[in-house]
Amino acid sequence: MTDPISALIHADNISPSHETSEAIPPHRSHDPSTNLKRSDPFQFGSRYLLPDDNPFEFNAWDHVEPSAEDLARFETQLEAQRAAPVSDFDRSRFNTEPAKWWNKFYANNTSNFFKDRKWLHQEFPILQEVTQKDVGKKILLEVGAGAGNTCFPILRSNKNENLMIYACDFSQKAVDLIRGSDEYDEEHLRAEVWDVASLELPPGLDEGSVDVVLMVFVFSALHPTQWMQAVSNIRRLLRPGGEVCFRDYGRGDLAQVRMKKGRWMEDNFYIRGDGTRVYFFGQDELKDIWTGKLFKTDEMAAITATSGLDPYFDIASLGVDRRLLINRHKQLKMYRCWMQGRFQKPRPVEME
């Protein structure tokens, strides 16, 4: 019987496409003087896999959806994962103290382990706006700041003398890494321990004081029961019209497909080998979370009414970023899937 993972990451024998006499566009070029491979930032989203293309000509293709056959194999893999879930003992210890496992993660992986996210300004233009000269006081909150590989690149390109970044993470080890960096500048950056799903707001921040919230691969670390509190906290912090820049794992991503036995906790929710948790989102599911629709069931509405939580946002944009990665030496295909969106706190009617 074919292993589902090996089947999804499969090899095809396709003959190379023919060269044309026309000028080769940069995203199709192998010439290092003209191709986009080394550009900074890399121009994602420009290399489409056409029917006559040889997929093994390049290392990556944009916006490639798995075939029906691949999806069926993925479902087979999900069934195998559900049949071998995490033990009740591990489920309890991983869910009870998630910060403990992230502290261990950052203790074992220093800032040199992570790559700087140089693509942020390209994907979220509002970051260019708040870092421009003479735009006035702006407050940017990064949730799940990790080792600083988002906040430091933003600081390096910043021209706004009145920009303040709050880099928050619920791992003390992560915060210590940021504070210990030579680039840590308290005039423009403050690193604090904060759990986005807690009942408190971050130190130094008041309701309605934040212009932009960055949430990049952090929401997936939360248990689904924490989503409403987290979204409500973000809404409290943002000023009217403020924006959330969001990117996280999508359903069917290679990382989900590769999950081994004993990692499945709930549908689309897993424990990694290092003890950290991860959830894989669907596009409609994220829309329901951030608009509050998910929390409007009778049960959740009762909680909302008694707690005062308000998880409502407008969806400015929400899309699926798919990429087909290629191991050209082994002739393997690997599908990646991420969710990316911009969510806006509504303005009062009188402000329109």
Side-chain angles (χ1 to χ4, degrees):
M1 180 177 179
T2 304
D3 174 52
I5 298 179
S6 301
L8 183 59
I9 310 167
H10 60 282
D12 287 346
N13 295 316
I14 303 176
S15 59
S17 58
H18 297 289
E19 296 290 338
T20 66
S21 57
E22 300 177 1
I24 301 176
H27 62 281
R28 293 276 184 162
S29 174
H30 291 285
D31 184 345
S33 66
T34 60
N35 68 22
L36 289 175
K37 184 176 181 180
R38 297 296 179 188
S39 63
D40 190 12
F42 184 87
Q43 297 295 310
F44 292 124
S46 57
R47 186 181 293 144
Y48 296 93
L49 182 63
L50 302 178
D52 293 334
D53 286 328
N54 172 16
F56 300 104
E57 183 180 359
F58 293 96
N59 293 331
W61 299 87
D62 299 300
H63 310 299
V64 180
E65 296 195 19
S67 67
E69 183 180 3
D70 291 327
L71 292 175
R73 290 176 178 136
F74 173 52
E75 289 300 322
T76 300
Q77 175 65 6
L78 287 183
E79 291 176 7
Q81 292 171 354
R82 295 189 192 101
V86 65
S87 68
D88 291 340
F89 173 77
D90 282 344
R91 184 192 306 273
S92 175
R93 70 190 183 108
F94 290 134
N95 281 328
T96 302
E97 297 181 279
K100 169 185 174 181
W101 302 99
W102 282 107
N103 280 328
K104 286 187 175 183
F105 175 85
Y106 286 110
N108 294 328
N109 301 288
T110 65
S111 56
N112 294 332
F113 176 81
F114 306 93
K115 293 182 179 180
D116 287 346
R117 292 165 174 162
K118 300 177 181 180
W119 45 266
L120 286 169
H121 286 75
Q122 175 182 309
E123 297 295 323
F124 301 114
I126 194 171
L127 297 179
Q128 298 182 24
E129 298 175 17
V130 299
T131 55
Q132 290 300 308
K133 187 177 181 180
D134 299 329
V135 295
K137 181 181 178 181
K138 298 293 179 182
I139 294 180
L140 188 156
L141 168 63
E142 182 189 2
V143 182
N149 299 86
T150 293
C151 60
F152 288 132
I154 293 175
L155 274 183
R156 291 181 206 127
S157 63
N158 177 48
K159 299 177 183 178
N160 180 7
E161 296 180 354
N162 296 307
L163 175 71
M164 188 66 190
I165 301 175
Y166 285 80
C168 295
D169 200 289
F170 72 176
S171 166
Q172 181 67 61
K173 291 290 185 181
V175 171
D176 290 344
L177 285 173
I178 295 176
R179 291 175 177 173
S181 171
D182 293 338
E183 295 185 83
Y184 189 62
D185 175 10
E186 291 188 339
E187 182 179 356
H188 295 290
L189 177 62
R190 178 174 173 178
E192 297 287 352
V193 175
W194 182 59
D195 181 354
V196 67
S198 69
L199 299 178
E200 305 295 331
L201 297 183
L205 287 176
D206 298 321
E207 291 193 25
S209 63
V210 176
D211 295 281
V212 180
V213 174
L214 269 174
M215 300 186 73
V216 180
F217 298 108
V218 61
F219 204 61
S220 54
L222 300 178
H223 190 281
T225 58
Q226 298 177 298
W227 293 343
M228 183 168 66
Q229 181 68 54
V231 175
S232 296
N233 284 343
I234 297 303
R235 193 178 193 277
R236 287 176 62 195
L237 286 163
L238 278 171
R239 63 169 177 76
E243 188 170 300
V244 178
C245 300
F246 181 97
R247 187 172 175 87
D248 222 315
Y249 296 103
R251 197 155 297 157
D253 181 62
L254 178 67
Q256 182 178 17
V257 175
R258 283 181 166 176
M259 283 292 176
K260 299 179 180 179
K261 293 180 178 180
R263 302 286 182 223
W264 185 92
M265 288 203 298
E266 301 176 17
D267 280 346
N268 305 303
F269 192 46
Y270 300 81
I271 287 294
R272 298 186 181 96
D274 57 15
T276 60
R277 306 180 303 188
V278 60
Y279 190 94
F280 297 88
F281 295 97
Q283 185 175 12
D284 291 339
E285 180 179 42
L286 276 176
K287 181 179 179 181
D288 290 346
I289 291 170
W290 286 89
T291 60
K293 182 179 178 181
L294 185 71
F295 313 118
K296 291 179 181 178
T297 62
D298 292 341
E299 179 183 0
M300 298 303 291
I303 296 175
T304 304
T306 56
S307 65
L309 300 179
D310 188 355
Y312 170 66
F313 276 82
D314 290 333
I315 305 296
S317 65
L318 178 58
V320 183
D321 181 7
R322 297 187 184 275
R323 197 152 301 139
L324 174 61
L325 303 183
I326 299 294
N327 184 322
R328 298 168 70 188
H329 176 69
K330 295 183 178 181
Q331 298 278 288
L332 299 179
K333 292 181 178 181
M334 298 163 284
Y335 292 96
R336 300 307 310 265
C337 179
W338 302 282
M339 297 292 158
Q340 184 165 306
R342 292 167 40 243
F343 315 131
Q344 192 171 55
K345 179 177 178 178
R347 292 182 175 89
V349 176
E350 59 270 19
M351 294 183 63
E352 296 294 338

Short mmCIF file of all heavy atoms in Angstrom, two decimals, residues 119-177:
data_model
loop_
_atom_site.label_atom_id
_atom_site.label_comp_id
_atom_site.label_asym_id
_atom_site.label_seq_id
_atom_site.Cartn_x
_atom_site.Cartn_y
_atom_site.Cartn_z
N TRP A 119 9.78 40.36 3.69
CA TRP A 119 8.66 40.48 2.75
C TRP A 119 7.47 41.24 3.34
O TRP A 119 6.48 41.47 2.67
CB TRP A 119 8.19 39.09 2.34
CG TRP A 119 8.05 38.12 3.49
CD1 TRP A 119 8.99 37.24 3.93
CD2 TRP A 119 6.92 37.95 4.36
NE1 TRP A 119 8.52 36.52 5.02
CE2 TRP A 119 7.26 36.94 5.30
CE3 TRP A 119 5.66 38.54 4.44
CZ2 TRP A 119 6.38 36.52 6.30
CZ3 TRP A 119 4.79 38.13 5.43
CH2 TRP A 119 5.15 37.14 6.34
N LEU A 120 7.56 41.64 4.61
CA LEU A 120 6.39 42.20 5.29
C LEU A 120 5.87 43.47 4.63
O LEU A 120 4.66 43.64 4.46
CB LEU A 120 6.74 42.48 6.76
CG LEU A 120 6.84 41.25 7.65
CD1 LEU A 120 7.44 41.62 9.00
CD2 LEU A 120 5.46 40.63 7.84
N HIS A 121 6.77 44.40 4.29
CA HIS A 121 6.32 45.66 3.68
C HIS A 121 5.64 45.42 2.34
O HIS A 121 4.73 46.14 1.96
CB HIS A 121 7.50 46.62 3.51
CG HIS A 121 7.98 47.23 4.79
ND1 HIS A 121 8.73 46.52 5.71
CD2 HIS A 121 7.80 48.46 5.31
CE1 HIS A 121 9.00 47.30 6.74
NE2 HIS A 121 8.44 48.49 6.53
N GLN A 122 6.12 44.40 1.63
CA GLN A 122 5.53 44.08 0.33
C GLN A 122 4.12 43.53 0.49
O GLN A 122 3.21 43.88 -0.26
CB GLN A 122 6.42 43.05 -0.37
CG GLN A 122 5.86 42.54 -1.69
CD GLN A 122 6.77 41.49 -2.31
OE1 GLN A 122 7.98 41.71 -2.46
NE2 GLN A 122 6.22 40.35 -2.67
N GLU A 123 3.93 42.65 1.48
CA GLU A 123 2.64 42.01 1.67
C GLU A 123 1.64 42.89 2.41
O GLU A 123 0.43 42.76 2.22
CB GLU A 123 2.83 40.68 2.42
CG GLU A 123 3.66 39.65 1.68
CD GLU A 123 2.98 39.19 0.40
OE1 GLU A 123 1.74 39.05 0.40
OE2 GLU A 123 3.68 38.96 -0.60
N PHE A 124 2.12 43.76 3.28
CA PHE A 124 1.25 44.62 4.09
C PHE A 124 1.68 46.08 3.92
O PHE A 124 2.48 46.60 4.70
CB PHE A 124 1.32 44.21 5.56
CG PHE A 124 0.91 42.78 5.82
CD1 PHE A 124 1.82 41.85 6.28
CD2 PHE A 124 -0.40 42.37 5.59
CE1 PHE A 124 1.44 40.54 6.52
CE2 PHE A 124 -0.79 41.06 5.82
CZ PHE A 124 0.13 40.15 6.29
N PRO A 125 1.16 46.76 2.89
CA PRO A 125 1.58 48.14 2.59
C PRO A 125 1.38 49.12 3.73
O PRO A 125 2.06 50.15 3.79
CB PRO A 125 0.68 48.51 1.39
CG PRO A 125 0.34 47.20 0.76
CD PRO A 125 0.22 46.24 1.89
N ILE A 126 0.46 48.82 4.67
CA ILE A 126 0.25 49.75 5.78
C ILE A 126 1.52 49.91 6.62
O ILE A 126 1.73 50.94 7.27
CB ILE A 126 -0.92 49.27 6.67
CG1 ILE A 126 -1.34 50.41 7.62
CG2 ILE A 126 -0.56 48.02 7.44
CD1 ILE A 126 -2.61 50.12 8.38
N LEU A 127 2.41 48.92 6.59
CA LEU A 127 3.68 49.03 7.31
C LEU A 127 4.56 50.11 6.69
O LEU A 127 5.34 50.77 7.39
CB LEU A 127 4.41 47.69 7.33
CG LEU A 127 3.70 46.55 8.06
CD1 LEU A 127 4.53 45.27 7.98
CD2 LEU A 127 3.43 46.92 9.51
N GLN A 128 4.44 50.30 5.38
CA GLN A 128 5.17 51.38 4.74
C GLN A 128 4.60 52.73 5.17
O GLN A 128 5.35 53.70 5.36
CB GLN A 128 5.09 51.24 3.22
CG GLN A 128 5.72 49.97 2.69
CD GLN A 128 5.67 49.88 1.18
OE1 GLN A 128 5.58 50.89 0.49
NE2 GLN A 128 5.72 48.67 0.65
N GLU A 129 3.28 52.79 5.34
CA GLU A 129 2.65 54.05 5.71
C GLU A 129 3.06 54.50 7.11
O GLU A 129 3.38 55.67 7.31
CB GLU A 129 1.12 53.88 5.65
CG GLU A 129 0.59 53.55 4.26
CD GLU A 129 -0.90 53.27 4.29
OE1 GLU A 129 -1.56 53.65 5.28
OE2 GLU A 129 -1.41 52.67 3.32
N VAL A 130 3.03 53.60 8.08
CA VAL A 130 3.30 54.00 9.46
C VAL A 130 4.79 54.23 9.72
O VAL A 130 5.15 54.80 10.76
CB VAL A 130 2.75 52.97 10.46
CG1 VAL A 130 1.25 52.84 10.31
CG2 VAL A 130 3.45 51.62 10.33
N THR A 131 5.66 53.79 8.81
CA THR A 131 7.10 53.98 9.01
C THR A 131 7.67 55.12 8.17
O THR A 131 8.89 55.34 8.17
CB THR A 131 7.87 52.68 8.69
OG1 THR A 131 7.56 52.25 7.35
CG2 THR A 131 7.51 51.58 9.69
N GLN A 132 6.79 55.86 7.47
CA GLN A 132 7.25 56.99 6.68
C GLN A 132 7.56 58.20 7.57
O GLN A 132 7.01 58.35 8.66
CB GLN A 132 6.20 57.37 5.64
CG GLN A 132 6.04 56.36 4.52
CD GLN A 132 7.33 56.16 3.73
OE1 GLN A 132 7.94 57.12 3.26
NE2 GLN A 132 7.72 54.91 3.58
N LYS A 133 8.41 59.07 7.09
CA LYS A 133 8.77 60.29 7.81
C LYS A 133 7.58 61.24 7.92
O LYS A 133 6.78 61.37 6.99
CB LYS A 133 9.93 60.98 7.09
CG LYS A 133 10.51 62.17 7.84
CD LYS A 133 11.70 62.75 7.09
CE LYS A 133 12.29 63.93 7.85
NZ LYS A 133 13.45 64.52 7.13
N ASP A 134 7.44 61.86 9.06
CA ASP A 134 6.45 62.91 9.30
C ASP A 134 5.00 62.43 9.22
O ASP A 134 4.12 63.21 8.85
CB ASP A 134 6.65 64.08 8.31
CG ASP A 134 8.01 64.73 8.46
OD1 ASP A 134 8.54 64.75 9.59
OD2 ASP A 134 8.55 65.21 7.44
N VAL A 135 4.73 61.16 9.56
CA VAL A 135 3.34 60.70 9.59
C VAL A 135 2.76 60.79 11.00
O VAL A 135 1.60 60.44 11.22
CB VAL A 135 3.21 59.25 9.06
CG1 VAL A 135 3.58 59.19 7.60
CG2 VAL A 135 4.03 58.28 9.88
N GLY A 136 3.57 61.24 11.95
CA GLY A 136 3.07 61.42 13.31
C GLY A 136 3.20 60.17 14.16
O GLY A 136 3.77 59.15 13.74
N LYS A 137 2.66 60.25 15.35
CA LYS A 137 2.77 59.14 16.30
C LYS A 137 1.99 57.93 15.80
O LYS A 137 0.82 58.01 15.48
CB LYS A 137 2.22 59.56 17.66
CG LYS A 137 2.30 58.47 18.72
CD LYS A 137 1.73 58.95 20.05
CE LYS A 137 1.78 57.83 21.08
NZ LYS A 137 1.22 58.27 22.39
N LYS A 138 2.68 56.81 15.75
CA LYS A 138 2.06 55.54 15.35
C LYS A 138 2.51 54.45 16.31
O LYS A 138 3.67 54.40 16.71
CB LYS A 138 2.47 55.15 13.92
CG LYS A 138 2.02 56.15 12.85
CD LYS A 138 0.51 56.19 12.70
CE LYS A 138 0.10 57.20 11.63
NZ LYS A 138 -1.38 57.30 11.51
N ILE A 139 1.57 53.58 16.67
CA ILE A 139 1.88 52.46 17.56
C ILE A 139 1.58 51.16 16.83
O ILE A 139 0.48 50.94 16.32
CB ILE A 139 1.05 52.53 18.86
CG1 ILE A 139 1.47 53.76 19.67
CG2 ILE A 139 1.25 51.27 19.69
CD1 ILE A 139 0.71 53.93 20.96
N LEU A 140 2.59 50.31 16.78
CA LEU A 140 2.48 49.01 16.13
C LEU A 140 2.68 47.93 17.20
O LEU A 140 3.65 47.97 17.95
CB LEU A 140 3.54 48.88 15.04
CG LEU A 140 3.47 47.67 14.10
CD1 LEU A 140 4.16 48.00 12.78
CD2 LEU A 140 4.15 46.45 14.71
N LEU A 141 1.74 47.00 17.26
CA LEU A 141 1.83 45.89 18.19
C LEU A 141 2.08 44.60 17.42
O LEU A 141 1.31 44.26 16.53
CB LEU A 141 0.53 45.76 19.00
CG LEU A 141 0.36 44.46 19.81
CD1 LEU A 141 1.43 44.33 20.89
CD2 LEU A 141 -1.05 44.39 20.41
N GLU A 142 3.17 43.92 17.76
CA GLU A 142 3.41 42.60 17.19
C GLU A 142 3.08 41.55 18.23
O GLU A 142 3.66 41.54 19.32
CB GLU A 142 4.86 42.43 16.74
CG GLU A 142 5.07 41.07 16.09
CD GLU A 142 6.53 40.74 15.81
OE1 GLU A 142 7.42 41.55 16.14
OE2 GLU A 142 6.77 39.65 15.26
N VAL A 143 2.14 40.67 17.90
CA VAL A 143 1.74 39.59 18.80
C VAL A 143 2.48 38.32 18.36
O VAL A 143 2.41 37.92 17.20
CB VAL A 143 0.23 39.36 18.74
CG1 VAL A 143 -0.17 38.25 19.72
CG2 VAL A 143 -0.53 40.64 19.06
N GLY A 144 3.18 37.69 19.30
CA GLY A 144 3.99 36.54 18.96
C GLY A 144 5.28 36.99 18.30
O GLY A 144 5.64 36.53 17.21
N ALA A 145 6.02 37.86 18.98
CA ALA A 145 7.19 38.50 18.38
C ALA A 145 8.38 37.56 18.24
O ALA A 145 9.31 37.85 17.48
CB ALA A 145 7.61 39.71 19.22
N GLY A 146 8.37 36.44 18.97
CA GLY A 146 9.46 35.49 18.84
C GLY A 146 10.80 36.12 19.16
O GLY A 146 10.96 36.85 20.14
N ALA A 147 11.79 35.86 18.30
CA ALA A 147 13.16 36.33 18.53
C ALA A 147 13.42 37.70 17.92
O ALA A 147 14.57 38.17 17.93
CB ALA A 147 14.15 35.31 17.98
N GLY A 148 12.39 38.36 17.39
CA GLY A 148 12.56 39.71 16.86
C GLY A 148 12.79 39.78 15.38
O GLY A 148 13.20 40.83 14.86
N ASN A 149 12.49 38.71 14.66
CA ASN A 149 12.78 38.69 13.23
C ASN A 149 11.73 39.42 12.38
O ASN A 149 11.81 39.43 11.16
CB ASN A 149 12.94 37.25 12.74
CG ASN A 149 14.08 36.55 13.44
OD1 ASN A 149 13.90 35.99 14.51
ND2 ASN A 149 15.26 36.61 12.86
N THR A 150 10.76 40.02 13.06
CA THR A 150 9.82 40.93 12.40
C THR A 150 10.07 42.36 12.85
O THR A 150 10.20 43.27 12.03
CB THR A 150 8.37 40.54 12.71
OG1 THR A 150 8.09 39.27 12.10
CG2 THR A 150 7.40 41.56 12.15
N CYS A 151 10.15 42.59 14.15
CA CYS A 151 10.27 43.95 14.65
C CYS A 151 11.59 44.61 14.27
O CYS A 151 11.63 45.81 13.95
CB CYS A 151 10.06 44.00 16.16
SG CYS A 151 11.23 43.03 17.15
N PHE A 152 12.68 43.86 14.27
CA PHE A 152 13.97 44.47 13.93
C PHE A 152 14.07 44.89 12.46
O PHE A 152 14.56 45.99 12.17
CB PHE A 152 15.11 43.53 14.32
CG PHE A 152 15.33 43.43 15.81
CD1 PHE A 152 15.46 42.19 16.42
CD2 PHE A 152 15.37 44.57 16.61
CE1 PHE A 152 15.65 42.09 17.79
CE2 PHE A 152 15.56 44.48 17.98
CZ PHE A 152 15.70 43.24 18.58
N PRO A 153 13.62 44.05 11.50
CA PRO A 153 13.62 44.53 10.11
C PRO A 153 12.77 45.79 9.92
O PRO A 153 13.12 46.66 9.12
CB PRO A 153 13.06 43.35 9.33
CG PRO A 153 13.43 42.15 10.14
CD PRO A 153 13.31 42.62 11.57
N ILE A 154 11.64 45.88 10.64
CA ILE A 154 10.80 47.08 10.54
C ILE A 154 11.55 48.29 11.08
O ILE A 154 11.53 49.37 10.49
CB ILE A 154 9.47 46.88 11.30
CG1 ILE A 154 8.62 45.82 10.60
CG2 ILE A 154 8.70 48.19 11.40
CD1 ILE A 154 7.34 45.47 11.33
N LEU A 155 12.24 48.11 12.21
CA LEU A 155 13.02 49.22 12.78
C LEU A 155 14.11 49.68 11.84
O LEU A 155 14.38 50.89 11.72
CB LEU A 155 13.64 48.79 14.11
CG LEU A 155 12.78 48.94 15.37
CD1 LEU A 155 13.59 48.54 16.60
CD2 LEU A 155 12.28 50.36 15.52
N ARG A 156 14.76 48.75 11.16
CA ARG A 156 15.87 49.12 10.27
C ARG A 156 15.42 50.02 9.14
O ARG A 156 16.16 50.88 8.67
CB ARG A 156 16.53 47.86 9.70
CG ARG A 156 17.30 47.04 10.72
CD ARG A 156 17.94 45.82 10.10
NE ARG A 156 18.13 44.77 11.10
CZ ARG A 156 17.71 43.53 10.98
NH1 ARG A 156 17.05 43.16 9.87
NH2 ARG A 156 17.92 42.65 11.93
N SER A 157 14.21 49.81 8.66
CA SER A 157 13.70 50.61 7.53
C SER A 157 12.85 51.79 7.98
O SER A 157 12.36 52.54 7.14
CB SER A 157 12.88 49.71 6.59
OG SER A 157 11.74 49.19 7.26
N ASN A 158 12.68 51.96 9.28
CA ASN A 158 11.79 52.99 9.79
C ASN A 158 12.36 54.40 9.61
O ASN A 158 13.53 54.66 9.89
CB ASN A 158 11.53 52.76 11.29
CG ASN A 158 10.68 53.85 11.89
OD1 ASN A 158 9.65 54.21 11.34
ND2 ASN A 158 11.13 54.38 13.02
N LYS A 159 11.52 55.33 9.15
CA LYS A 159 11.88 56.74 9.02
C LYS A 159 11.00 57.63 9.89
O LYS A 159 11.14 58.86 9.88
CB LYS A 159 11.75 57.16 7.56
CG LYS A 159 12.66 56.38 6.61
CD LYS A 159 12.43 56.79 5.16
CE LYS A 159 13.30 55.95 4.23
NZ LYS A 159 13.05 56.30 2.80
N ASN A 160 10.10 57.03 10.63
CA ASN A 160 9.16 57.77 11.47
C ASN A 160 9.74 57.90 12.88
O ASN A 160 9.84 56.93 13.62
CB ASN A 160 7.82 57.04 11.52
CG ASN A 160 6.79 57.77 12.38
OD1 ASN A 160 7.03 58.88 12.85
ND2 ASN A 160 5.65 57.15 12.59
N GLU A 161 10.10 59.12 13.26
CA GLU A 161 10.69 59.35 14.57
C GLU A 161 9.70 59.11 15.70
O GLU A 161 10.11 58.97 16.86
CB GLU A 161 11.22 60.78 14.65
CG GLU A 161 12.37 61.07 13.68
CD GLU A 161 12.86 62.50 13.79
OE1 GLU A 161 12.23 63.29 14.54
OE2 GLU A 161 13.87 62.83 13.14
N ASN A 162 8.42 59.05 15.38
CA ASN A 162 7.40 58.87 16.41
C ASN A 162 6.76 57.48 16.37
O ASN A 162 5.66 57.28 16.90
CB ASN A 162 6.30 59.93 16.24
CG ASN A 162 6.84 61.33 16.47
OD1 ASN A 162 7.44 61.60 17.50
ND2 ASN A 162 6.62 62.22 15.50
N LEU A 163 7.44 56.52 15.76
CA LEU A 163 6.95 55.15 15.74
C LEU A 163 7.34 54.44 17.03
O LEU A 163 8.48 54.53 17.49
CB LEU A 163 7.53 54.38 14.55
CG LEU A 163 7.17 52.89 14.50
CD1 LEU A 163 5.70 52.70 14.15
CD2 LEU A 163 8.07 52.14 13.50
N MET A 164 6.39 53.69 17.60
CA MET A 164 6.67 52.85 18.76
C MET A 164 6.16 51.45 18.47
O MET A 164 4.99 51.26 18.11
CB MET A 164 6.00 53.40 20.02
CG MET A 164 6.43 52.68 21.29
SD MET A 164 8.20 52.97 21.63
CE MET A 164 8.47 51.79 22.96
N ILE A 165 7.04 50.47 18.62
CA ILE A 165 6.67 49.07 18.41
C ILE A 165 6.63 48.35 19.76
O ILE A 165 7.59 48.43 20.53
CB ILE A 165 7.68 48.35 17.49
CG1 ILE A 165 7.76 49.04 16.12
CG2 ILE A 165 7.31 46.88 17.32
CD1 ILE A 165 8.82 48.46 15.21
N TYR A 166 5.52 47.68 20.01
CA TYR A 166 5.41 46.81 21.18
C TYR A 166 5.51 45.37 20.67
O TYR A 166 4.63 44.90 19.93
CB TYR A 166 4.09 47.02 21.91
CG TYR A 166 4.05 48.30 22.71
CD1 TYR A 166 3.81 49.52 22.09
CD2 TYR A 166 4.26 48.29 24.09
CE1 TYR A 166 3.79 50.71 22.82
CE2 TYR A 166 4.23 49.47 24.83
CZ TYR A 166 4.00 50.67 24.19
OH TYR A 166 3.96 51.84 24.91
N ALA A 167 6.60 44.70 21.02
CA ALA A 167 6.83 43.33 20.59
C ALA A 167 6.50 42.39 21.75
O ALA A 167 7.23 42.34 22.74
CB ALA A 167 8.28 43.14 20.16
N CYS A 168 5.39 41.67 21.64
CA CYS A 168 4.90 40.86 22.75
C CYS A 168 4.92 39.38 22.40
O CYS A 168 4.62 38.98 21.28
CB CYS A 168 3.48 41.27 23.12
SG CYS A 168 3.37 42.96 23.77
N ASP A 169 5.25 38.58 23.39
CA ASP A 169 5.25 37.13 23.25
C ASP A 169 4.97 36.53 24.62
O ASP A 169 5.33 37.12 25.64
CB ASP A 169 6.60 36.64 22.72
CG ASP A 169 6.51 35.25 22.09
OD1 ASP A 169 6.33 34.27 22.84
OD2 ASP A 169 6.60 35.17 20.86
N PHE A 170 4.29 35.37 24.66
CA PHE A 170 4.04 34.80 25.98
C PHE A 170 5.18 33.91 26.44
O PHE A 170 5.10 33.29 27.50
CB PHE A 170 2.68 34.12 26.09
CG PHE A 170 2.50 32.81 25.35
CD1 PHE A 170 1.31 32.11 25.50
CD2 PHE A 170 3.45 32.26 24.53
CE1 PHE A 170 1.09 30.91 24.85
CE2 PHE A 170 3.26 31.06 23.87
CZ PHE A 170 2.06 30.38 24.03
N SER A 171 6.27 33.90 25.71
CA SER A 171 7.49 33.22 26.13
C SER A 171 8.48 34.23 26.68
O SER A 171 8.92 35.15 25.98
CB SER A 171 8.13 32.47 24.95
OG SER A 171 9.45 32.08 25.25
N GLN A 172 8.87 34.07 27.94
CA GLN A 172 9.87 34.94 28.54
C GLN A 172 11.21 34.82 27.81
O GLN A 172 11.94 35.80 27.63
CB GLN A 172 10.05 34.60 30.02
CG GLN A 172 11.06 35.47 30.75
CD GLN A 172 10.61 36.91 30.88
OE1 GLN A 172 9.57 37.19 31.48
NE2 GLN A 172 11.39 37.83 30.32
N LYS A 173 11.54 33.61 27.37
CA LYS A 173 12.79 33.39 26.65
C LYS A 173 12.84 34.20 25.35
O LYS A 173 13.87 34.76 24.99
CB LYS A 173 12.97 31.90 26.34
CG LYS A 173 13.24 31.03 27.55
CD LYS A 173 14.62 31.29 28.13
CE LYS A 173 14.93 30.32 29.26
NZ LYS A 173 16.27 30.57 29.86
N ALA A 174 11.70 34.25 24.65
CA ALA A 174 11.65 35.02 23.41
C ALA A 174 11.85 36.51 23.69
O ALA A 174 12.61 37.19 22.99
CB ALA A 174 10.31 34.78 22.71
N VAL A 175 11.18 37.01 24.71
CA VAL A 175 11.31 38.42 25.07
C VAL A 175 12.75 38.73 25.48
O VAL A 175 13.30 39.78 25.13
CB VAL A 175 10.32 38.78 26.20
CG1 VAL A 175 10.60 40.17 26.74
CG2 VAL A 175 8.89 38.67 25.69
N ASP A 176 13.38 37.82 26.20
CA ASP A 176 14.78 38.03 26.60
C ASP A 176 15.70 38.11 25.38
O ASP A 176 16.67 38.88 25.38
CB ASP A 176 15.24 36.89 27.51
CG ASP A 176 14.59 36.93 28.88
OD1 ASP A 176 14.02 38.00 29.24
OD2 ASP A 176 14.63 35.91 29.59
N LEU A 177 15.41 37.31 24.34
CA LEU A 177 16.22 37.37 23.13
C LEU A 177 16.12 38.74 22.47
O LEU A 177 17.13 39.29 22.00
CB LEU A 177 15.77 36.28 22.14
CG LEU A 177 16.17 34.84 22.45
CD1 LEU A 177 15.50 33.88 21.47
CD2 LEU A 177 17.69 34.68 22.39
#
